[in-house]
Amino acid sequence: GAGVSQSPSNKVTEKGKDVELRCDPISGHTALYWYRQRLGQGLEFLIYFQGNSAPDKSGLPSDRFSAERTGESVSTLTIQRTQQEDSAVYLCASNQGLGAFFGQGTRLTVV
Amino acid sequence: KQEVTQIPAALSVPEGENLVLNCSFTDSAIYNLQWFRQDPGKGLTSLLLIQSSQREQTSGRLNASLDKSSGRSTLYIAASQPGDSATYLCAVSPVYNQGGKLIFGQGTELSVKP
């Protein structure tokens, strides 16, 4: 596609439920990252995929968070047993050596 | 551990002024540096990418410079307009990842008054 696409754009969920966020990177981009941005805060790195290499999961805040990517295509970020502190905008980006391009994000609200 | 700092945190200028935003990083072993713009409630828009071998990049009224040895980058905005109001973020990629994980500064919130 023309850009990085994320879905849904907004998600409201009840505390304790699981959520799945989706990211469609730019076609041909081997690198893909997930970041989190809490209200009024900076970007917090979550996870990075590069081709078929083992992902860099060093930013995942707890074992409730996981992410998958099939080859060089779609990635999903799953948050299990959501907590109110998980409320944030989740941003995805892809890269092919010429700079990172971000999607519009998924705004997650846990009530 | 790489740390990225942006100064000032906020800046308010009258329309038409030229301005400079600053970004500093602690580890000079970077692959590239990228400047982004973020409008409220939106994602990030890439403005300029400077590879580690480059000194500057220009796009329209924007000019970004890179001094790797001193760990500094500046974003120069000429003839500022109210539409330039946004948060500006710089991010570096560590050399070992070759364009991978981006490490962001906290951003400079720019307000251009008509």
Side-chain angles (χ1 to χ4, degrees):
Chain A
V4 178
S5 178
Q6 292 187 246
S7 60
S9 55
N10 281 283
K11 176 73 176 178
V12 180
T13 190
E14 292 182 351
K15 179 181 172 182
K17 294 286 177 79
D18 298 351
V19 295
E20 190 172 280
L21 313 180
R22 178 187 169 106
C23 173
D24 280 274
I26 294 172
S27 178
H29 281 198
T30 58
L32 184 148
Y33 347 69
W34 285 95
Y35 285 82
R36 177 169 73 175
Q37 188 173 35
R38 291 192 169 113
L39 186 63
Q41 303 293 311
L43 273 78
E44 177 185 4
F45 168 75
L46 297 177
I47 188 168
Y48 162 62
F49 297 91
Q50 173 62 278
N52 294 319
S53 302
D56 177 353
K57 303 180 181 180
S58 60
L60 294 178
S62 76
D63 59 7
R64 295 187 296 105
F65 287 73
S66 63
E68 292 184 352
R69 186 183 188 196
T70 305
E72 295 178 0
S73 61
V74 171
S75 175
T76 55
L77 177 68
T78 302
I79 309 173
Q80 296 178 311
R81 305 181 302 282
T82 51
Q83 304 293 313
Q84 287 184 329
E85 66 259 28
D86 299 335
S87 295
V89 175
Y90 289 81
L91 292 161
C92 173
S94 69
N95 193 340
Q96 190 52 13
L98 296 178
F101 293 88
F102 279 77
Q104 290 300 300
T106 293
R107 182 175 300 277
L108 175 67
T109 304
V110 182
V111 299
Chain B
K1 178 186 173 186
Q2 177 74 272
E3 292 182 0
V4 180
T5 304
Q6 290 187 246
I7 295 173
L11 180 64
S12 181
V13 300
E15 181 177 5
E17 271 204 8
N18 303 323
L19 58 100
V20 174
L21 307 180
N22 296 290
C23 172
S24 61
F25 46 96
T26 55
D27 186 347
S28 62
I30 64 169
Y31 186 67
N32 57 42
L33 182 145
Q34 197 166 355
W35 282 92
F36 295 89
R37 166 187 175 137
Q38 186 174 33
D39 292 282
K42 304 289 187 183
L44 276 68
T45 300
S46 179
L47 297 174
L48 290 165
L49 171 74
I50 311 178
Q51 302 289 0
S52 61
S53 59
Q54 297 175 324
R55 297 285 300 202
E56 66 177 345
Q57 284 287 333
T58 298
S59 176
R61 294 182 294 110
L62 305 180
N63 177 276
S65 69
L66 174 64
D67 184 342
K68 222 173 52 162
S69 60
S70 67
R72 293 173 59 187
S73 176
T74 60
L75 179 66
Y76 175 83
I77 302 177
S80 58
Q81 302 170 358
D84 295 331
S85 297
T87 296
Y88 290 80
L89 296 153
C90 71
V92 298
S93 293
V95 66
Y96 64 86
N97 250 342
Q98 295 197 4
K101 174 181 170 181
L102 298 172
I103 301 166
F104 281 86
Q106 290 296 304
T108 293
E109 186 175 353
L110 173 65
S111 176
V112 181
K113 306 295 187 184

